[in-house]
């Protein structure tokens, strides 16, 4: 089965772009924690499954810090862009993406995963590598956000280490945006 997983789906605008690039998917998961954004995703597509949740390394409830305009909300209150403030948050459901992936896809599936999760990509990708669930993904498109947080050099180093580890996998990786 050909599957698209849109992590940080926002309003769903990337889905059409990804189908134009990779062809139609049998199943599409649009995962977005912000209820204002997920309501905007077109539900007319029978192949689409919307999941209102934050991509994380554990299950539970977590604070989602809202940005002005809802397009850059994050799990991290120290984000430097999007006019994030520590007192402007909502509580959302978080999923352990590694565990969720193992439940919803198999090694026989062809999985394209777009990840635009506003700073959580570092922890989530390291967790996928640690749990050995990264091998369930065939194409990984990541929007990296190191310069939007304090200490960007530390995040750039983490990105470098993640990319080096991905070189030794079958996964095709690209920068998203």
């Amino acid at each position: 089965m050909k599957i698209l997983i849109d992590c940080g789906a926002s309003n769903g605008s990337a889905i059409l772009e990804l189908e134009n690039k990779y062809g139609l998917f049998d199943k599409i998961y649009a995962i977005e924690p912000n209820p204002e954004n997920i309501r905007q995703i077109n539900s007319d597509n029978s192949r689409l499954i919307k999941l209102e949740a934050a991509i994380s390394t554990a299950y539970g409830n977590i604070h989602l810090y809202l940005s002005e305009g809802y397009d850059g909300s994050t799990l991290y209150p120290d984000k430097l862009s999007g006019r994030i403030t520590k007192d402007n948050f909502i509580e959302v459901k978080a999923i352990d993406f590694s565990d969720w992936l193992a439940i919803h896809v198999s090694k026989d599936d062809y999985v394209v995963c777009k990840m635009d999760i506003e700073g959580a990509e570092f922890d989530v990708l390291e967790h996928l590598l640690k749990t050995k669930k990264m091998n369930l993904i065939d194409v990984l498109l990541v929007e990296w956000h190191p310069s939007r947080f304090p200490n960007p050099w530390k995040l750039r180093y983490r990105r470098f280490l993640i990319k080096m580890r991905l070189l030794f996998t079958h996964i095709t990786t690209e920068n998203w945006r």
Side-chain angles (χ1 to χ4, degrees):
M1 184 176 292
K2 189 174 174 185
I3 299 172
L4 169 62
I5 304 171
D6 189 352
C7 301
S10 187
N11 62 8
S13 60
I15 293 170
L16 181 60
E17 183 179 342
L18 291 166
E19 285 202 312
N20 286 334
K21 182 173 182 173
Y22 294 100
L24 291 179
F25 292 93
D26 300 310
K27 189 180 284 187
I28 301 167
Y29 292 99
I31 308 172
E32 170 61 39
N34 191 314
E36 295 297 322
N37 288 344
I38 204 157
R39 278 194 273 278
Q40 296 177 38
I41 298 174
N42 183 353
S43 298
D44 295 339
N45 187 337
S46 64
R47 299 172 290 125
L48 176 69
I49 299 165
K50 296 193 304 187
L51 177 59
E52 189 175 325
I55 300 294
S56 184
T57 60
Y59 289 102
N61 291 323
I62 193 165
H63 288 165
L64 177 69
Y65 297 89
L66 301 174
S67 69
E68 192 172 286
Y70 301 109
D71 61 347
S73 300
T74 182
L75 304 180
Y76 303 100
D78 59 346
K79 185 177 174 197
L80 302 173
S81 63
R83 297 186 182 162
I84 302 293
T85 60
K86 292 181 181 185
D87 59 344
N88 185 22
F89 64 86
I90 58 174
E91 192 167 290
V92 298
K93 179 173 85 169
I95 60 170
D96 179 331
F97 188 60
S98 179
D99 185 60
W100 182 92
L101 198 60
I103 293 167
H104 290 87
V105 303
S106 77
K107 63 181 179 173
D108 297 325
D109 293 325
Y110 180 79
V111 177
V112 175
C113 180
K114 185 222 78 178
M115 192 172 285
D116 183 0
I117 53 177
E118 302 301 322
E121 65 273 11
F122 301 98
D123 292 338
V124 170
L125 292 172
E126 288 167 346
H127 187 63
L128 283 169
L129 287 162
K130 180 181 173 186
T131 60
K132 301 188 182 348
K133 299 296 188 278
M134 186 71 83
N135 64 350
L136 295 170
I137 297 171
D138 296 284
V139 177
L140 178 64
L141 308 160
V142 180
E143 181 170 339
W144 300 93
H145 298 89
S147 62
R148 296 182 189 173
F149 291 90
N151 202 353
W153 290 108
K154 181 179 178 183
L155 295 178
R156 286 185 179 105
Y157 180 68
R158 286 175 70 190
R159 176 180 61 191
F160 171 78
L161 292 177
I162 292 166
K163 285 184 168 188
M164 289 300 102
R165 290 183 67 192
L166 288 171
L167 286 175
F168 297 98
T169 69
H170 72 282
I171 301 165
T172 301
T173 60
E174 293 179 34
N175 291 331
W176 176 254
R177 307 267 188 230

